[in-house]
Amino acid sequence: MPDPVLSLNRLDARYGDFQALYGVTAHVNEGEVVAIIGANGAGKTTLMRSIAGLIRNAPESILWKGQPIGRLRADQVAALGIALVPEGRLLFPSLSVEENLIIGGQLGRRGPWNLGRVYELFPILKERRNQQSTSLSGGQQQMVAIGRALMSNPELILMDEISLGLAPVIIKQIYDALPGIVGQGMAAVIVEQDIAKALSVTARVYCLQEGRVSLEGRSDTVSRDEISRAYFGM
């Protein structure tokens, strides 16, 4: 079993006086794809934002390759090799598709991902590279957001609600691209509302319920009953 690249140790997270996560403990192994599931408001996006450095936490509550990163800024976390595809995509509306992608490569990390490789993964982006990014369809914008993250050549990619609001045919295109994203040893954490889809593409799953881990298991062995109990707290 590979060593964990990411470890969460009793992670608490707050927005001011509101506590969103309570003692979350989890890990991601090298090259592993892990799902995070749970109802709306369970803390999934807070978890992703905490890992990415958008929420400051206790240093030792988040370890990257054994080193504490819980207090690092988002740019420092990205420089270590962790990239976030945020919920809602958050593209730069005044920039073209290609300019959005280029911004993702500004860290200068070495690796296999560059413009040519992203266009190979998502050919439609090459056709639309000079268009304003927010003029694209929702699915194409999601491809830009994924490509922007890949341009930083991460070792871990965090994908928050990558299929939310997209047509089934576009969701299939994005998930069909997943093996090409993680095929060279990159680890991934995927937040997904479609439980069946999440389980089909991941090795392990964590369920959050009211900010706590209510279930952990292998994606191919957890039962529907276990998920239902963990999801709804029944």
Side-chain angles (χ1 to χ4, degrees), residues 42-54:
K44 304 184 300 296
T45 291
T46 300
L47 180 65
M48 302 289 262
R49 289 171 57 84
S50 293
I51 297 169
L54 295 169

Side-chain angles (χ1 to χ4, degrees), residues 139-225:
Q140 291 164 0
Q141 289 185 43
Q142 190 66 282
M143 294 174 189
V144 177
I146 294 170
R148 181 179 61 187
L150 292 174
M151 285 286 289
S152 70
N153 279 295
E155 296 176 60
L156 171 66
I157 187 167
L158 310 170
M159 301 184 179
D160 193 2
E161 300 284 13
I162 58 173
S163 66
L164 186 64
L166 302 183
V169 65
I170 300 299
I171 294 171
K172 183 179 185 302
Q173 288 177 17
I174 290 174
Y175 273 98
D176 284 348
L178 188 61
I181 294 171
V182 299
Q184 294 183 322
M186 186 189 303
V189 178
I190 299 175
V191 167
E192 179 57 80
Q193 292 283 1
D194 185 332
I195 296 173
K197 178 66 71 176
L199 297 180
S200 72
V201 298
T202 58
R204 289 188 303 112
V205 58
Y206 291 92
C207 184
L208 295 183
Q209 204 267 331
E210 294 184 350
R212 295 175 171 86
V213 175
S214 55
L215 174 70
E216 173 190 358
R218 289 194 54 82
S219 299
D220 58 357
T221 60
V222 294
S223 70
R224 284 290 181 177
D225 286 344

Side-chain angles (χ1 to χ4, degrees), residues 13-214:
R14 297 176 179 274
Y15 295 99
D17 293 333
F18 173 73
Q19 186 165 351
L21 296 178
Y22 298 84
V24 171
T25 295
H27 70 277
V28 180
N29 295 317
E30 182 179 351
E32 186 179 37
V33 183
V34 173
I36 306 293
I37 62 174
N40 289 337
K44 304 184 300 296
T45 291
T46 300
L47 180 65
M48 302 289 262
R49 289 171 57 84
S50 293
I51 297 169
L54 295 169
I55 298 173
R56 308 292 282 277
N57 300 284
E60 300 286 343
S61 64
I62 305 175
L63 301 181
W64 175 248
K65 299 181 179 179
Q67 300 302 310
I69 65 168
R71 292 295 292 174
L72 297 187
R73 302 187 310 269
D75 61 306
Q76 295 171 315
V77 172
L80 292 173
I82 300 174
L84 173 66
V85 181
E87 181 183 9
R89 300 176 283 273
L90 302 182
L91 302 181
F92 296 99
S94 63
L95 302 182
S96 69
V97 167
E98 189 157 296
E99 288 167 337
N100 268 274
L101 294 174
I102 289 171
I103 283 176
Q106 292 303 298
L107 291 171
R109 285 178 51 85
R110 293 185 177 183
W113 290 99
N114 52 36
L115 279 174
R117 181 80 186 279
V118 171
Y119 289 149
E120 182 180 336
L121 183 69
F122 297 125
I124 189 64
L125 298 187
K126 185 174 184 179
E127 296 178 24
R128 307 285 173 88
R129 63 186 181 274
N130 294 319
Q131 281 188 226
Q132 187 177 10
S133 60
T134 51
S135 71
L136 303 182
S137 69
Q140 291 164 0
Q141 289 185 43
Q142 190 66 282
M143 294 174 189
V144 177
I146 294 170
R148 181 179 61 187
L150 292 174
M151 285 286 289
S152 70
N153 279 295
E155 296 176 60
L156 171 66
I157 187 167
L158 310 170
M159 301 184 179
D160 193 2
E161 300 284 13
I162 58 173
S163 66
L164 186 64
L166 302 183
V169 65
I170 300 299
I171 294 171
K172 183 179 185 302
Q173 288 177 17
I174 290 174
Y175 273 98
D176 284 348
L178 188 61
I181 294 171
V182 299
Q184 294 183 322
M186 186 189 303
V189 178
I190 299 175
V191 167
E192 179 57 80
Q193 292 283 1
D194 185 332
I195 296 173
K197 178 66 71 176
L199 297 180
S200 72
V201 298
T202 58
R204 289 188 303 112
V205 58
Y206 291 92
C207 184
L208 295 183
Q209 204 267 331
E210 294 184 350
R212 295 175 171 86
V213 175
S214 55

